[in-house]
Amino acid sequence: MEMGICYGGIPTRIHNNSMGIRAYDYVEFYVGSAKMVAYWHAKAMGLDIVGYKGPETDSRDRTSFLLASPDNPNFKIMITSALQPETYDVQNFVNRHGDGVKRWSVEVDDVEKTYAKAIENGATPSEGPFKLEDKDGYVMQARIKLYDDAEINFINFDNYKGLFMPGFEKPRFNFQVNKQPTGLKGIDHIVGNVYINQMDYWSQYINASLDFETFIEFGPGDISTKYSALLSKVVRSKDEIIKNPINEPYDGLKKSQIEEYINEYRGSGIQHIAILTSDIITSVKNLRENGVEFLDDPPEAYYDDIASKDFGLTEDLEKLKELGILIDIEGKGYLLQIFTKPIGDRPTFFYEIIQRRKGASGFGQGNFQALFESIEREQERRGNL
Ligand code: FE2
């Protein structure tokens, strides 16, 4: 079955991979207080709260808020917290990691088939195919393990006509969130941080399980500053719908930012999600107005260097500079990107906002230097460098 996924404004793509993967679907966070984190995503990130599950809907052990982008209802974030000490999956996760991403989902043609194939290919099972059902039909899901405590979730909604999935209702309250529109259109890529010497293991695990391929890799010396370094490999579905970079720490003079993540997160896990926009200047301006904090602006010299190059930049460089947006030139194309500070209490998970121009397909390798120096300044403030 073919399904064109439209990220309103981003070109429609017909999927073409052996696992029947159509697109990214919801990402679920486990957090201490779902209502508070949902409010932040609504107010700061400009998402709408579109679904709710909790005691009022007969969910006694946990509460979940579903948020979606007003610019693309297929861009979905679920925020979940435990309502009881015995809700072990959530409580144990949050106790160890703090707030973080428990699972990211891909919509597939046939959950049972994709799951069976993944297991046959060597994926570690987490939860076999299960059906959630109500008067509006049913939703199928199945899960495989990823990193220490995360999961990849397969999902299919073809036989469901209700709101999101059984168990969810329209939110019964109104936060009266006053916010600027942020134009967020969907997930571009999701990045994991793993322990030293584990990057190859996890890239092979994902490549084998999901029939993905390694797109690019960065070895010793490719990504380093004076103090810290990392290794990185990007695995992706062969039709490029799903992109999953994986980082591991590498020896530098001081502590790698990946090592800081692993120490603070107490393990390997999801480092950041990159969100697509088709107008990064407006998105970042409004995200800033909504209260999102971004990493420090790059130095003046960074923009002087960009200004000296002729690559057909269509945006106003002064505006990019004013907003601290990074530019990575890539052959005939370029990408624009910016990184938030960690959104929670620990220096772990953050968001990236990204716009790809003229076919750019990379991940901002040219910006790593500027970016990491900025992260290091933050690390130093925390006494972790
Ligand atoms: Fe990224």
PDB file of all heavy atoms in Angstrom, residues 189 191 272 274 337 339 352 363, ligand 1:
ATOM      1  N   HIS A 189      14.982  14.459  11.936  1.00  0.00           N
ATOM      2  CA  HIS A 189      15.786  13.334  12.397  1.00  0.00           C
ATOM      3  C   HIS A 189      15.773  13.259  13.919  1.00  0.00           C
ATOM      4  O   HIS A 189      15.434  14.239  14.588  1.00  0.00           O
ATOM      5  CB  HIS A 189      17.230  13.401  11.868  1.00  0.00           C
ATOM      6  CG  HIS A 189      17.988  14.640  12.251  1.00  0.00           C
ATOM      7  ND1 HIS A 189      17.925  15.810  11.524  1.00  0.00           N
ATOM      8  CD2 HIS A 189      18.845  14.899  13.283  1.00  0.00           C
ATOM      9  CE1 HIS A 189      18.713  16.720  12.090  1.00  0.00           C
ATOM     10  NE2 HIS A 189      19.276  16.203  13.159  1.00  0.00           N
ATOM     11  N   VAL A 191      18.195  11.842  17.200  1.00  0.00           N
ATOM     12  CA  VAL A 191      19.586  11.475  17.472  1.00  0.00           C
ATOM     13  C   VAL A 191      19.725  10.759  18.811  1.00  0.00           C
ATOM     14  O   VAL A 191      19.107  11.153  19.799  1.00  0.00           O
ATOM     15  CB  VAL A 191      20.463  12.751  17.489  1.00  0.00           C
ATOM     16  CG1 VAL A 191      21.930  12.408  17.740  1.00  0.00           C
ATOM     17  CG2 VAL A 191      20.316  13.508  16.173  1.00  0.00           C
ATOM     18  N   HIS A 272      18.551  14.466  20.855  1.00  0.00           N
ATOM     19  CA  HIS A 272      17.728  15.569  20.344  1.00  0.00           C
ATOM     20  C   HIS A 272      16.841  15.134  19.199  1.00  0.00           C
ATOM     21  O   HIS A 272      17.078  14.111  18.562  1.00  0.00           O
ATOM     22  CB  HIS A 272      18.575  16.789  19.970  1.00  0.00           C
ATOM     23  CG  HIS A 272      19.375  16.697  18.694  1.00  0.00           C
ATOM     24  ND1 HIS A 272      20.672  16.273  18.640  1.00  0.00           N
ATOM     25  CD2 HIS A 272      19.053  17.025  17.415  1.00  0.00           C
ATOM     26  CE1 HIS A 272      21.128  16.332  17.400  1.00  0.00           C
ATOM     27  NE2 HIS A 272      20.160  16.790  16.625  1.00  0.00           N
ATOM     28  N   ALA A 274      15.233  16.845  15.713  1.00  0.00           N
ATOM     29  CA  ALA A 274      15.300  17.998  14.824  1.00  0.00           C
ATOM     30  C   ALA A 274      13.937  18.170  14.159  1.00  0.00           C
ATOM     31  O   ALA A 274      13.385  17.226  13.594  1.00  0.00           O
ATOM     32  CB  ALA A 274      16.379  17.798  13.776  1.00  0.00           C
ATOM     33  N   GLN A 337      20.050  25.976  10.746  1.00  0.00           N
ATOM     34  CA  GLN A 337      19.693  25.232  11.948  1.00  0.00           C
ATOM     35  C   GLN A 337      20.037  26.014  13.209  1.00  0.00           C
ATOM     36  O   GLN A 337      20.871  26.917  13.195  1.00  0.00           O
ATOM     37  CB  GLN A 337      20.390  23.863  11.983  1.00  0.00           C
ATOM     38  CG  GLN A 337      21.895  23.976  12.028  1.00  0.00           C
ATOM     39  CD  GLN A 337      22.648  22.648  11.977  1.00  0.00           C
ATOM     40  OE1 GLN A 337      23.850  22.647  11.823  1.00  0.00           O
ATOM     41  NE2 GLN A 337      21.976  21.521  12.102  1.00  0.00           N
ATOM     42  N   PHE A 339      19.941  25.261  17.795  1.00  0.00           N
ATOM     43  CA  PHE A 339      19.717  24.269  18.853  1.00  0.00           C
ATOM     44  C   PHE A 339      19.228  24.949  20.123  1.00  0.00           C
ATOM     45  O   PHE A 339      19.776  25.977  20.531  1.00  0.00           O
ATOM     46  CB  PHE A 339      21.016  23.515  19.148  1.00  0.00           C
ATOM     47  CG  PHE A 339      21.530  22.774  17.936  1.00  0.00           C
ATOM     48  CD1 PHE A 339      22.317  23.417  16.986  1.00  0.00           C
ATOM     49  CD2 PHE A 339      21.192  21.441  17.726  1.00  0.00           C
ATOM     50  CE1 PHE A 339      22.776  22.744  15.854  1.00  0.00           C
ATOM     51  CE2 PHE A 339      21.642  20.765  16.599  1.00  0.00           C
ATOM     52  CZ  PHE A 339      22.435  21.419  15.659  1.00  0.00           C
ATOM     53  N   GLU A 352      16.275  20.700  18.034  1.00  0.00           N
ATOM     54  CA  GLU A 352      16.931  21.434  16.949  1.00  0.00           C
ATOM     55  C   GLU A 352      15.813  21.910  16.028  1.00  0.00           C
ATOM     56  O   GLU A 352      14.841  21.194  15.806  1.00  0.00           O
ATOM     57  CB  GLU A 352      17.877  20.479  16.191  1.00  0.00           C
ATOM     58  CG  GLU A 352      18.429  21.049  14.887  1.00  0.00           C
ATOM     59  CD  GLU A 352      19.302  20.031  14.115  1.00  0.00           C
ATOM     60  OE1 GLU A 352      19.652  18.963  14.672  1.00  0.00           O
ATOM     61  OE2 GLU A 352      19.617  20.308  12.948  1.00  0.00           O
ATOM     62  N   PHE A 363      23.661  17.156   8.097  1.00  0.00           N
ATOM     63  CA  PHE A 363      23.196  17.385   9.465  1.00  0.00           C
ATOM     64  C   PHE A 363      23.919  18.555  10.124  1.00  0.00           C
ATOM     65  O   PHE A 363      23.945  18.676  11.332  1.00  0.00           O
ATOM     66  CB  PHE A 363      23.363  16.099  10.283  1.00  0.00           C
ATOM     67  CG  PHE A 363      22.494  15.009   9.753  1.00  0.00           C
ATOM     68  CD1 PHE A 363      22.946  14.199   8.721  1.00  0.00           C
ATOM     69  CD2 PHE A 363      21.202  14.844  10.209  1.00  0.00           C
ATOM     70  CE1 PHE A 363      22.127  13.226   8.183  1.00  0.00           C
ATOM     71  CE2 PHE A 363      20.373  13.879   9.677  1.00  0.00           C
ATOM     72  CZ  PHE A 363      20.841  13.063   8.650  1.00  0.00           C
TER      73      PHE A 363
HETATM   74 FE   FE2 B   1      20.612  17.241  14.486  1.00  0.00          FE
END
